[in-house]
Amino acid sequence: MIPNAKITPEVVKEHGLTEDEYALLLKIMDREPSLAELGIFSVMWSEHCSYKSSRVWLKTFPTSGSKVLQGPGENAGAVDIGDGLAAVFKIESHNHPSFIEPYQGAATGVGGILRDVFTMGARPIANLNALRFGSPDHPKTRHLVAGVVAGIGGYGNCVGVPTVAGETNFHPSYNGNILVNAMTVGLARADRIFKAAARGPGNRVLYVGAKTGRDGIHGATMASAEFTEESEARRPTVQVGDPFTEKLLLEACLELMAEDAIVAIQDMGAAGLTSSSVEMAARGGLGIALDLDRVPIRETGMTAYEIMLSESQERMLLIVKPGAEKIAERIFAKWELDCADIGVVTETGRLIVSKNGTVEIDIPVAPLVDQAPLYRRPYVASPKRAEIKAANVKAAEPLEALRKLMGSPDLASKRWIWDQYDHLVGNDTIQTPGGDAAVVRVRDTRKALAMVVDCTPRYCAADPRRGGMQAVVETWRNLSAVGALPIAITDNLNFGNPERPEIMGQIVGCIEGMGEACRVLDYPVISGNVSLYNETNGQAILPTPVVGGVGLLDDYTKTVGIGLAAPGRALILLGETRGWLGASIYLREIAGWEEGAPPPVDPALEKRTGDLVRGLVRGGTVEACHDLSDGGLLVAVAEMALAGGTGARLDAAPTGLPGHGWWFGEDQARYVVATTAPEAVLKAAAAAGVPARRIGETAAGSLTLAGAGAISLDELRAIHEGWLPNYMS
């Protein structure tokens, strides 16, 4: 007999289930659930775990390719990089916890994504992050920035995985709901990718890692609801991390994997022991029986409900081969971690959980996954915005506009952030933060992986389909700019409440645009995360579909950065400039508008231009390269000058195009390269059908615009580097 407490409509509502969902639960169970069973249904059917509002659309993504070893559906995706090696990577969100408790929310976000990667048998080699904060003048923003950055650095630095790239933006739409998206890239043997499908009835189920406490209970449910004024009282639902335990767990798991003892392995992430046991059983079409009296706990009097729903960190669930229990016990004892035999794989197809000798949970496994609610929610497409011609936008003096833009929150240097991260630990980082993409060497080979995260939320708000495409193609450009062949992406889809048709329209539009770009570029989606209900009191964030791209360099010596390193080099602009100012940084920061259609995106043109640039970089024809994005041409050249310590003399804007459109337009598929062989670059561009023109040359000391004056690099650096430290002080 299963112990029970009265399940009232209020209790059901508190667990995030609708009346229809609870009716389906009753049909599946053919009886009223116990409180613990209700808790399990609530987390497994939560938006965070089941993707019930987005699954139908996620299935439209291209997820296969010649290099894909593992697509969506496992802890992380994997791609073949040759020489018997695989790159394993994924991005995930920890948004709601980071707003409530910024240090621990961000830290445990890093810990969780690290576990997703090493669960696959990969050693993590790099972390990245994508951060969105509210307006700088909001009273909570400074506190949230400080806590989140300290949490990311504190966890990643202690584990010993370099944090090599990221992006940070500010906008009032994130005042009540910041975004903290964390990505990890790892390396594994291509023939030793570990998965999470239960196999072999009779095989033992092992709990390894840290002890279970009451932290994180209902974390998945909290992440599936919008914020209210009461949300900040939910600190108990934020997990507490220990990076030193994580490091021990990483090494112990990789050591056990080398022993050929593991049948399946799953991180205890969202929904903890519940999701890990249910998902392993469901993937294998089997059942699992657990004895909670054997679970290592750190608090007294914990109930079955609390143990099953706890999201305490640094824990894994393993299924091992017959007789391998002693091997696991020996290895985890060596690393001073708990290793407990807590259950067995069964043929019942049920999750059966006992405590104190009594069965407290008895649920068929398949419905928890296969019958999770699946919604095709109604949606309305975002209204089309009118195009804005540059001639109708206020024209500011270009160097004055540059000063303002380079010191604006979105474009100002984020060195204050990345200086708190160890981006060199491991001694394999070739390109550090501040460029187009990070580059990390693959040891014992000539190879390197390039990696980047990108999204332009203001484009997605203006035109979700076009914004989704742009997020993908910008990662393509960033990887190509360092000479890497883009091979696959992971995504983190951050949106508001999907029950609102206008928000669901943003979700659908962005996914459609991303999918189209990926298909044209042969750039599959191999993993990802969806984070919905990112809003407070009905105010949603900007649609923010973050894309993490990974590319491959066959020879890490054939890469370039963005820095202009010496005078006398020709500067060449690749790609066509029409002066597109709609939804641009210039329009927002200089003209005071957040209006207009974003720039058109042509994935086929992006592919052709990226292929050209990659060839120039790998062939040694260019010494520096930078893609053009926020702020356009003049901002890109200024960033190149500051990165390399060498200035530039730029020709006047071409006739027939407003000067502010030329200097600050955000037309896509464009790069600036520095070269000692300009004719070779122009010839290659002509052969590829890519517009190209010489726009000036590198020069010492300052950035000079023909007919418009000059600004010294010292002044420009003070503006660019000064905003964030001054703000945080």
Side-chain angles (χ1 to χ4, degrees), residues 346-387:
T346 71
E347 294 180 312
T348 64
R350 304 183 73 83
L351 174 68
I352 299 175
V353 180
S354 62
K355 191 171 190 303
N356 299 325
T358 301
V359 173
E360 296 213 13
I361 297 164
D362 186 350
I363 304 175
V365 167
L368 286 170
V369 178
D370 301 339
Q371 292 185 45
L374 181 61
Y375 297 122
R376 185 177 285 271
R377 297 195 185 276
Y379 67 92
V380 294
S382 299
K384 294 291 184 184
R385 293 189 188 177
E387 295 185 6

Side-chain angles (χ1 to χ4, degrees), residues 338-678:
D338 281 302
C339 177
D341 183 338
I342 67 167
V344 64
V345 178
T346 71
E347 294 180 312
T348 64
R350 304 183 73 83
L351 174 68
I352 299 175
V353 180
S354 62
K355 191 171 190 303
N356 299 325
T358 301
V359 173
E360 296 213 13
I361 297 164
D362 186 350
I363 304 175
V365 167
L368 286 170
V369 178
D370 301 339
Q371 292 185 45
L374 181 61
Y375 297 122
R376 185 177 285 271
R377 297 195 185 276
Y379 67 92
V380 294
S382 299
K384 294 291 184 184
R385 293 189 188 177
E387 295 185 6
I388 295 178
K389 296 186 180 301
N392 296 329
V393 177
K394 169 187 174 182
E397 194 280 320
L399 289 179
E400 282 305 310
L402 179 66
R403 288 181 174 92
K404 186 169 183 180
L405 291 176
M406 293 295 282
S408 66
D410 277 4
L411 294 185
S413 169
K414 304 306 184 295
R415 181 182 301 278
W416 181 89
I417 292 175
W418 78 63
D419 274 353
Q420 297 183 55
Y421 305 152
D422 189 336
H423 42 264
L424 296 174
V425 62
N427 203 33
D428 291 320
T429 309
I430 295 171
Q431 289 212 35
T432 56
D436 278 331
V439 178
V440 180
R441 181 179 58 184
V442 177
R443 287 190 179 180
D444 301 320
T445 75
R446 300 280 292 180
K447 293 180 174 14
L449 293 176
M451 53 203 76
V452 68
V453 287
D454 274 313
C455 183
T456 310
R458 65 182 187 278
Y459 290 176
C460 298
D463 185 329
R465 184 182 180 92
R466 194 176 286 184
M469 294 175 68
Q470 194 273 340
V472 172
V473 302
E474 188 170 348
T475 67
W476 175 275
R477 287 201 301 270
N478 289 154
L479 297 172
S480 297
V482 299
L485 175 67
I487 49 180
I489 71 167
T490 181
D491 62 71
N492 205 142
L493 308 180
N494 306 274
F495 294 91
N497 185 344
E499 298 167 47
R500 295 167 54 194
E502 66 273 19
I503 299 297
M504 197 65 218
Q506 294 175 346
I507 297 169
V508 172
C510 285
I511 289 176
E512 288 181 340
M514 293 169 65
E516 180 180 344
C518 288
R519 280 185 286 274
V520 174
L521 296 171
D522 189 21
Y523 195 31
V525 182
I526 65 164
S527 62
N529 173 250
V530 179
S531 175
L532 305 182
Y533 296 93
N534 287 290
E535 56 182 76
T536 300
N537 297 325
Q539 292 296 116
I541 63 166
L542 294 179
T544 312
V546 174
V547 175
V550 173
L552 178 66
L553 292 108
D554 291 325
D555 184 346
Y556 64 77
T557 66
K558 296 180 178 179
T559 184
V560 299
I562 69 170
L564 303 178
R569 274 51 174 168
L571 295 175
I572 295 177
L573 172 63
L574 301 172
E576 184 176 6
T577 301
R578 297 178 179 176
W580 196 281
L581 291 176
S584 68
I585 284 279
Y586 178 93
L587 192 71
R588 188 181 77 191
E589 298 293 331
I590 306 301
W593 299 357
E594 289 194 62
E595 300 294 337
V601 178
D602 181 347
L605 176 61
E606 294 280 1
K607 187 175 192 309
R608 190 165 70 247
T609 310
D611 291 347
L612 165 67
V613 168
R614 198 176 314 112
L616 293 172
V617 171
R618 291 181 172 184
T621 312
V622 300
E623 294 182 356
C625 180
H626 193 7
D627 89 300
L628 271 62
S629 54
D630 286 352
L633 173 60
L634 193 52
V635 166
V637 174
E639 290 171 341
M640 297 174 81
L642 292 177
T646 298
R649 288 191 294 267
L650 299 180
D651 301 335
T655 57
L657 184 66
H660 55 304
W662 169 255
W663 295 121
F664 303 108
E666 295 182 5
D667 307 84
Q668 300 293 290
R670 297 187 301 158
Y671 304 75
V672 171
V673 298
T675 180
T676 57

Side-chain angles (χ1 to χ4, degrees), residues 110-125:
V110 173
I113 196 63
L114 283 166
R115 289 193 300 279
D116 280 341
V117 168
F118 72 74
T119 299
M120 301 289 290
R123 178 172 291 280
I125 62 166

Side-chain angles (χ1 to χ4, degrees), residues 235-281:
R235 291 183 190 274
T237 63
V238 178
Q239 308 93 324
V240 178
D242 179 352
F244 299 104
T245 299
E246 179 99 342
K247 173 63 173 174
L248 300 177
L249 183 62
L250 186 162
E251 298 298 342
C253 286
L254 293 180
E255 184 173 337
L256 183 60
M257 288 166 172
E259 294 283 347
D260 196 29
I262 296 175
V263 173
I265 180 170
Q266 174 83 15
D267 162 40
M268 290 192 222
L273 186 52
T274 289
S275 63
S276 55
S277 57
V278 168
E279 290 173 3
M280 291 172 88

